């Protein structure tokens, strides 16, 4: 799931809500977050994203060899 946070033009709340909503479309997700360009919204949104998805039953794990590469675009 691409969080679309690269340019930091929205609030942490909006970023978290959109990312969580996008995750709900799939059984398994890899979320792309960008922490460049001093994007404070992304840093603030991470806790909310993790909290909301955890409450919905999602689990978090390190990537392993079973995850196939995916290219956005």
């Amino acid at each position: 799931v691409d969080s679309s946070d690269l340019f930091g033009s929205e609030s942490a709340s909006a970023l978290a809500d959109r990312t969580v909503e996008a995750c709900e479309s799939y059984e398994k997700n890899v979320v792309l977050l960008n922490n460049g360009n001093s994007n404070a919204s992304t840093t603030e949104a991470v806790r909310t994203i993790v909290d909301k998805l955890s409450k919905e039953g999602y689990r978090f794990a390190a990537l392993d060899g079973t995850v196939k590469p995916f290219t956005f675009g």
Side-chain angles (χ1 to χ4, degrees):
V1 172
D2 184 355
S3 65
S4 300
D5 66 332
L6 183 60
F7 301 107
S9 60
E10 65 184 340
S11 71
S13 177
L15 172 62
D17 289 346
R18 188 183 63 255
T19 302
V20 169
E21 183 177 325
C23 287
E24 293 169 346
S25 300
Y26 305 97
E27 183 178 328
K28 294 182 180 181
N29 296 282
V30 174
V31 177
L32 173 63
L33 296 164
N34 299 280
N35 195 21
N37 299 326
S38 300
N39 190 353
S41 292
T42 297
T43 305
E44 293 172 23
V46 170
R47 178 168 295 200
T48 303
I49 293 168
V50 171
D51 287 347
K52 286 184 175 187
L53 290 176
S54 294
K55 287 177 183 172
E56 292 185 20
Y58 285 85
R59 294 179 300 120
F60 297 84
L63 296 177
D64 60 23
T66 64
V67 178
K68 296 181 180 171
F70 181 83
T71 303
F72 287 98

